[in-house]
Amino acid sequence: MNDASLILGLESRLLNAWPSFDYQIYDGWILRLAKGYSKRANSVTPFAQGASLDDALLDHMIAQFRAADVTPTFRLSGLEADGVDALLQARGFMEREPTLVLQARINGDADLDPEVLIELAATKRWVREAAHSYGGDKADEDALFEIVTRIRQTTAFATLHLDDRAVAWGLGVAERGYLGLYDIVVAPDLRGIGLGRRVVGSLIAWGRAVGAHTAYLQVREENAVALALYTGLDFTPAYRYRHRILSPGF
């Protein structure tokens, strides 16, 4: 599998695993909108190798974002044509949040943790607790619930309990041999003690049981704690992407 086919394969699964509310397709690009909840659900992504961009198409895309009251944002995975990044920079798009997509082969080492509850459909409780622990711009539980209830792939919603308290959460989405790991979050007062690893391990065990051979996830390059966790679980980089976000005033 060459780099472009690897990126396309994982990006297609990512789009299915984290659905938006509105999709628009433009000459090798997919524009997605979801009321502003998360950049990956509210951005333009190249979906063909060598996807090109000119001022006219860029102006049209910007207008679509503004009509939805969402900041114009691009996710650049390396599939885009040469010159796209320079055009976006010249038009006032700032680079933000370089992110690694990591992958790992699934082996027989992971087991379901007896204190991790696996549910096969989203519940209001799971969404409320996960959104609350995220905080910030991801605390909108209504938007999160709308996203996760749109997933049409096989899902697992994990919750780790300690002494009857929910303390960590995660989402697994299985599609065509791959397990996507999303929304791995730990209660703020209990981070850094291995709870996230227990959730990830349980989701990987579940993924293996439903036929997944490879796990993948996304992590910001600046998140040293998460990178250390996933490196310790034998995840390695598949590719990277970064955002270009339109600066105020442009």
Side-chain angles (χ1 to χ4, degrees):
M1 177 179 286
N2 62 36
D3 288 345
S5 60
L6 172 63
I7 294 170
L8 282 168
L10 289 178
E11 286 287 304
S12 66
R13 289 171 172 85
L14 185 154
L15 265 63
N16 290 336
W18 197 253
S20 297
F21 310 153
D22 181 23
Y23 295 79
Q24 302 172 30
I25 300 175
Y26 301 106
D27 301 334
W29 299 89
I30 294 182
L31 187 157
R32 307 203 303 153
L33 297 166
K35 301 179 183 177
Y37 187 91
S38 84
K39 292 182 182 64
R40 63 176 175 256
N42 294 271
S43 56
V44 185
T45 301
F47 218 70
Q49 189 172 10
S52 61
L53 185 67
D54 58 24
D55 284 303
L57 179 54
L58 179 55
D59 287 338
H60 182 79
M61 290 176 172
I62 291 172
Q64 300 304 304
F65 278 107
R66 287 179 169 160
D69 196 26
V70 173
T71 301
T73 301
F74 280 73
R75 282 180 67 253
L76 301 180
S77 64
L79 290 175
E80 67 278 357
D82 293 340
V84 168
D85 189 61
L87 172 60
L88 292 173
Q89 184 176 10
R91 290 289 302 271
F93 283 78
M94 304 174 293
E95 183 172 337
R96 291 288 185 271
E97 297 177 7
T99 298
L100 290 171
V101 178
L102 307 179
Q103 64 177 349
R105 294 289 297 182
I106 293 176
N107 55 38
D109 294 341
D111 293 310
L112 284 171
D113 189 310
E115 293 183 297
V116 174
L117 170 68
I118 298 289
E119 299 171 290
L120 302 184
T123 65
K124 286 283 190 179
R125 174 198 51 76
W126 186 95
V127 169
R128 181 179 61 255
E129 293 171 349
H132 177 74
S133 287
Y134 257 125
D137 59 0
K138 288 191 173 181
D140 186 344
E141 60 186 80
D142 291 334
L144 177 57
F145 187 77
E146 192 169 356
I147 286 174
V148 298
T149 54
R150 287 172 178 260
I151 301 170
R152 298 295 177 259
Q153 315 306 316
T154 304
T155 56
F157 294 82
T159 307
L160 170 61
H161 291 88
L162 294 181
D163 298 326
D164 296 324
R165 175 191 172 190
V167 296
W169 302 262
L171 165 63
V173 183
E175 180 192 346
R176 294 175 292 148
Y178 283 77
L179 169 69
L181 298 171
Y182 297 85
D183 277 12
I184 308 300
V185 60
V186 176
D189 60 319
L190 292 172
R191 291 173 183 168
I193 60 173
L195 302 184
R197 186 185 184 99
R198 293 173 64 180
V199 170
V200 169
S202 291
L203 286 172
I204 289 175
W206 170 83
R208 183 181 67 239
V210 298
H213 54 69
T214 302
Y216 72 91
L217 55 88
Q218 304 153 89
V219 60
R220 293 183 188 177
E221 289 183 349
E222 67 187 21
N223 192 340
V225 173
L227 283 172
L229 165 63
Y230 298 127
T231 299
L233 293 170
D234 297 327
F235 281 84
T236 59
Y239 62 98
R240 74 189 292 270
Y241 67 81
R242 53 208 168 82
H243 298 93
R244 284 271 183 195
I245 302 174
L246 188 61
S247 303
F250 278 84

